[in-house]
């Protein structure tokens, strides 16, 4: 119950700030789009994709240490926790310096990203260095994040970091509104970026004072003592590389094959979908710590029971979100930015398909990480090559649709592989039972979508008109609520994992009320 309570607290805080952050970011993007233009926004998006590539030099150590922390945290072994944190501290220093050096070596390639735009190469260099320094600051100061997440105290950082981001965005909006100067925007991005990472270190020293004791071991000795961490990290690094290709290669491909303005048009949609994925990922990270503790302290049967609950619930949440995105996105883009920024419906269909098939990947990845099963790293490499290879080939032929086609091919590969690998390594169940459950869930969700789209979505849109935000919000609330309620009822009746989760949640709420 304590594990569930901590997960609920972290997830609740995450959800609240996610909603607030989405509102702030959408308002800010509208302002930045008007006063900076599509090319500068496209440059920002592309440079973030490039910098994310440099983050791969972290080599998977963060995830590996997070998994290694679950057991000493559960056992309250402060000595091992302290040693692992010093291992992170030493290692992150080297990563920070490596990011600066390698990033500067990459800098001559930056003008290629702006070759099809009117942005001067000097300005692109300045922007690149600003993002590069912010990334390095993350490794100089941000290493304690791994402990906050593993210890299920991530809500502490979420609250403070989001407030810092809101102040930054407000000042950036005011700056571009009055000056339309990209350099001022960059200065604020760099200053607040470095400060937010340093604030993590400040919070760490406040909450974990006893862990500031100097380690008895040198970095070399710590590597030798915790060599299993780096063994896991090598395999996680390959998976991180694949994840980067899936998340960020699209922007680079579009920037080089098409142009930066198209990156911005595509980025408007990706901002919406990435915010959703970020919320899901952050909530799942809160769950990961609880799953790590579960695996370390519970039987295989109990772990499988919780796995089925998380699998069903994560599917439910992401399918409801997918329904909302499929039905509401085009009108949202029209009201937010204007009809000229609406892309073809095929783009939306592929984005939603990627989200829907990825609904199951998070749960499987979560339990594989908790068990420290990373021997399938070669599959992540295959995913990366399929995503990038098909993405480039299809983009040359079909434009933006080609990029998304490559991403979907990679997601489908992991959609089939991850459950097979998890069941083979962890559970005494046939993987065929998994695909029976998945097929059943997809079938019900599609049938309910088709019915509600015909009976509720289209008639209600014609009745309301949906020509302003008030009408859109009413339309969105009614459509998504009806779909969510009906799907929840159907899953509660037809799926044991989902019904068990609902019962567990109700009992948790009752126990919480009794404690008041």
């Amino acid at each position: 119950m304590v594990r569930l309570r901590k997960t609920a607290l972290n997830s609740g805080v995450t959800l609240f700030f996610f909603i607030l952050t989405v509102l702030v970011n959408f308002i800010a993007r509208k302002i930045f789009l008007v006063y900076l233009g599509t090319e500068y926004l496209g440059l920002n998006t592309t440079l973030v994709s490039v910098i994310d590539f440099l983050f791969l030099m972290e080599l998977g150590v963060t995830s590996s240490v997070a998994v290694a922390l679950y057991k000493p945290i559960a056992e309250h072994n402060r000595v091992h926790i302290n040693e692992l944190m010093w291992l992170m501290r030493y290692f992150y220093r080297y990563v920070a310096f490596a990011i600066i050096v390698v990033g500067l070596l990459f800098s001559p390639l930056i003008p290629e990203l702006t070759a099809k735009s009117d942005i001067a190469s000097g300005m692109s260099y300045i922007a690149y260095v600003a993002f590069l320094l912010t990334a390095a600051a993350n490794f100089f100061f941000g290493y304690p994040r791994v402990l906050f997440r593993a210890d299920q105290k991530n809500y502490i950082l979420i609250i403070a970091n989001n407030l810092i981001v809101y102040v930054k965005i407000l000042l950036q909006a005011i700056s571009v509104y009055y000056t339309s100067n990209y350099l001022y925007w960059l200065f604020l991005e760099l200053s607040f970026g470095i400060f937010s990472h340093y604030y993590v270190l400040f919070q760490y020293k406040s909450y974990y004072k006893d862990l500031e004791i100097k380690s008895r071991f040198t970095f070399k000795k710590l590597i030798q003592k915790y060599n299993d961490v780096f063994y896991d990290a090598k395999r996680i690094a390959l998976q991180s590389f694949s994840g980067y290709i899936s998340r960020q290669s699209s922007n680079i491909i579009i920037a080089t094959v098409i142009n930066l303005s198209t990156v911005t048009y595509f980025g408007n949609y990706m901002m919406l979908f990435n915010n959703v994925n970020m919320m899901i990922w952050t909530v799942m990270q809160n769950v990961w710590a609880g799953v790590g503790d579960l695996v370390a302290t519970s039987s295989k049967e109990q772990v499988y029971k919780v796995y089925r609950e998380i699998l069903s619930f994560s599917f439910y949440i992401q399918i409801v979100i997918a329904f909302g995105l499929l039905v509401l996105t085009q009108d949202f883009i029209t009201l937010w930015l204007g009809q000229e920024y609406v892309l073809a419906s095929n783009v939306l269909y592929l984005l939603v398909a990627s989200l829907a098939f990825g609904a199951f990947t998070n749960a499987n990845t979560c339990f594989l990480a908790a068990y420290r099963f990373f021997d399938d790293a070669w599959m992540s490499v295959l995913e990366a090559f399929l995503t990038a290879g098909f993405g480039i080939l299809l983009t040359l032929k079909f434009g933006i649709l080609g990029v998304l086609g490559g991403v979907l091919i990679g997601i489908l590969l992991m959609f089939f592989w991850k459950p097979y690998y998890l069941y083979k390594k962890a559970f005494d169940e046939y993987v065929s039972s998994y695909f029976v459950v998945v097929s059943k869930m997809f079938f019900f969700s599609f049938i309910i979508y088709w019915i509600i789209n015909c009976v509720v979505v289209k008639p209600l849109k014609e009745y309301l008109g949906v020509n302003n935000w008030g009408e859109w919000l009413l339309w969105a609330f009614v459509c998504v609520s009806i779909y969510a309620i009906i799907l929840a009822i159907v899953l509660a009746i037809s799926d044991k994992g989902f019904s068990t989760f609902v019962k567990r949640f109700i009992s948790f709420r009752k126990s919480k009320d009794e404690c008041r």
Side-chain angles (χ1 to χ4, degrees):
M1 194 61 70
V2 172
R3 187 190 302 121
L4 182 59
R5 186 173 290 110
K6 287 184 177 181
T7 301
L9 175 60
N10 280 284
S11 300
V13 171
T14 299
L15 182 61
F16 171 78
F17 278 101
F18 163 76
I19 296 172
L20 188 58
T21 299
V22 167
L23 293 174
V24 171
N25 281 331
F26 279 121
I27 294 172
R29 188 173 180 86
K30 174 69 173 182
I31 296 172
F32 297 154
L33 190 62
V34 171
Y35 294 99
L36 288 181
T38 58
E39 289 194 337
Y40 278 113
L41 282 186
L43 176 64
N44 287 342
T45 303
T46 306
L47 289 180
V48 168
S49 298
V50 174
I51 295 298
D52 271 5
F53 175 76
L54 297 178
F55 270 72
L56 295 178
M57 286 189 290
E58 172 266 342
L59 300 176
V61 171
T62 303
S63 297
S64 186
V65 170
V67 174
L69 280 168
Y70 293 149
K71 186 175 181 179
I73 288 174
E75 297 174 350
H76 304 288
N77 190 331
R78 309 300 282 183
V79 174
H80 282 184
I81 295 173
N82 189 56
E83 289 174 353
L84 285 168
M85 291 309 298
W86 273 96
L87 177 66
M88 285 287 294
R89 186 171 185 174
Y90 286 136
F91 179 75
Y92 264 31
R93 288 176 185 173
Y94 289 106
V95 174
F97 285 117
I99 281 180
I100 294 174
V101 173
V102 176
L104 292 176
L105 292 176
F106 277 178
S107 60
L109 302 176
I110 297 302
E112 293 297 321
L113 300 176
T114 58
K116 296 183 179 180
S117 72
D118 295 327
I119 298 176
S121 59
M123 183 63 76
S124 64
Y125 276 125
I126 294 172
Y128 177 68
V129 171
F131 283 111
L132 185 65
L133 292 176
T134 303
N138 174 67
F139 290 96
F140 275 122
F141 309 123
Y143 65 90
R145 281 191 176 91
V146 65
L147 180 58
F148 280 95
R149 288 170 183 159
D151 200 19
Q152 294 185 283
K153 293 180 180 177
N154 201 36
Y155 64 91
I156 296 170
L157 299 184
I158 290 174
I159 294 172
N161 285 341
N162 275 283
L163 293 176
I164 293 171
V165 169
Y166 299 154
V167 174
K168 179 199 72 173
I169 292 176
L170 175 62
L171 293 178
Q172 286 177 323
I174 293 173
S175 172
V176 300
Y177 178 79
Y178 285 104
T179 68
S180 296
N181 193 316
Y182 183 58
L183 285 175
Y184 293 156
W185 187 96
L186 280 177
F187 174 75
L188 291 169
E189 186 73 16
L190 174 62
S191 301
F192 278 86
I194 293 176
F195 174 73
S196 66
H197 295 314
Y198 180 79
Y199 184 80
V200 174
L201 182 60
F202 172 78
Q203 289 287 63
Y204 172 68
K205 292 180 178 180
S206 298
Y207 280 89
Y208 299 100
K209 296 178 182 178
D210 57 323
L211 297 182
E212 281 298 293
I213 303 170
K214 179 68 176 179
S215 173
R216 296 179 294 119
F217 302 105
T218 63
F219 182 43
K220 184 177 181 180
K221 291 290 185 181
L222 288 171
I223 292 177
Q224 293 172 347
K225 184 174 181 179
Y226 295 97
N227 63 333
D228 59 323
V229 169
F230 286 89
Y231 177 73
D232 288 343
K234 294 175 185 177
R235 295 171 292 178
I236 295 173
L238 291 175
Q239 295 178 343
S240 298
F241 172 74
S242 171
Y244 167 80
I245 296 298
S246 299
R247 293 191 312 272
Q248 300 292 3
S249 62
S250 301
N251 294 322
I252 298 175
I253 292 172
I254 293 172
T256 52
V257 176
I258 307 177
N259 54 52
L260 286 177
S261 292
T262 304
V263 174
T264 298
Y265 281 80
F266 180 67
N268 295 330
Y269 282 75
M270 289 309 299
M271 179 180 177
L272 178 61
F273 278 77
N274 285 340
N275 273 311
V276 171
N277 282 324
M278 183 62 68
M279 178 198 70
I280 296 170
W281 176 251
T282 306
V283 170
M284 286 303 295
Q285 279 191 319
N286 296 326
V287 174
W288 279 30
V291 171
D293 179 66
L294 174 74
V295 169
T297 58
S298 303
S299 66
K300 184 181 293 187
E301 292 73 18
Q302 180 62 26
V303 172
Y304 180 74
K305 181 180 178 182
V306 174
Y307 164 76
R308 280 286 289 111
E309 294 177 35
I310 293 177
L311 177 71
S312 300
F313 182 70
S314 63
F315 171 83
Y316 169 74
I317 293 297
Q318 290 191 240
I319 288 299
V320 170
I321 291 172
F323 168 82
L325 291 170
L326 185 61
V327 170
L328 307 171
T329 296
Q330 301 292 58
D331 291 280
F332 177 86
I333 295 292
T334 300
L335 291 173
W336 176 35
L337 300 173
Q339 182 65 38
E340 65 272 20
Y341 289 97
V342 175
L343 297 176
S345 297
N346 290 340
V347 174
L348 180 61
Y349 296 152
L350 287 177
L351 283 169
V352 173
S354 298
L355 181 71
F357 282 107
F360 291 96
T361 305
N362 284 334
N364 292 321
T365 302
C366 171
F367 279 81
L368 285 170
Y371 276 110
R372 302 178 73 170
F373 293 152
F374 304 116
D375 289 329
D376 66 332
W378 60 274
M379 285 296 294
S380 297
V381 176
L382 177 59
E383 178 195 9
F385 278 109
L386 288 176
T387 300
F390 278 102
I392 293 171
L393 292 175
L394 294 175
T395 300
L396 292 171
K397 179 70 174 178
F398 301 105
I400 292 178
L401 288 175
V403 172
L404 294 173
V407 172
L408 184 58
I409 288 171
I411 289 176
L412 286 173
L413 173 68
M414 304 313 286
F415 170 77
F416 288 103
W417 168 256
K418 288 290 186 182
Y420 168 78
Y421 182 62
L422 178 62
Y423 273 66
K424 179 181 177 181
K425 298 281 286 186
F427 303 137
D428 297 325
E429 302 285 340
Y430 291 108
V431 71
S432 57
S433 64
Y434 170 89
F435 287 107
V436 169
V437 170
V438 168
S439 300
K440 179 178 62 177
M441 288 180 174
F442 269 121
F443 174 77
F444 285 135
S445 62
F446 178 78
I447 294 298
I448 296 170
Y449 159 75
W450 182 78
I451 294 173
I452 291 180
N453 191 48
C454 295
V455 177
V456 178
V457 175
K458 292 180 179 179
L460 185 59
K461 182 180 180 180
E462 292 177 1
Y463 175 75
L464 292 175
V466 191
N467 296 313
N468 56 59
W469 285 112
E471 293 171 349
W472 183 89
L473 287 171
L474 177 60
W475 178 54
F477 176 78
V478 173
C479 293
V480 175
S481 296
I482 292 175
Y483 182 81
I485 292 170
I486 295 176
L487 182 61
I489 294 172
V490 172
L491 290 181
I493 295 172
S494 63
D495 184 72
K496 184 178 180 181
F498 188 81
S499 61
T500 304
F501 180 89
V502 172
K503 293 175 183 177
R504 185 188 296 272
F505 181 77
I506 293 173
S507 64
F508 166 70
R509 292 296 305 174
K510 288 181 178 178
S511 65
K512 190 174 180 181
D513 292 337
E514 290 171 358
C515 292
R516 292 177 178 174

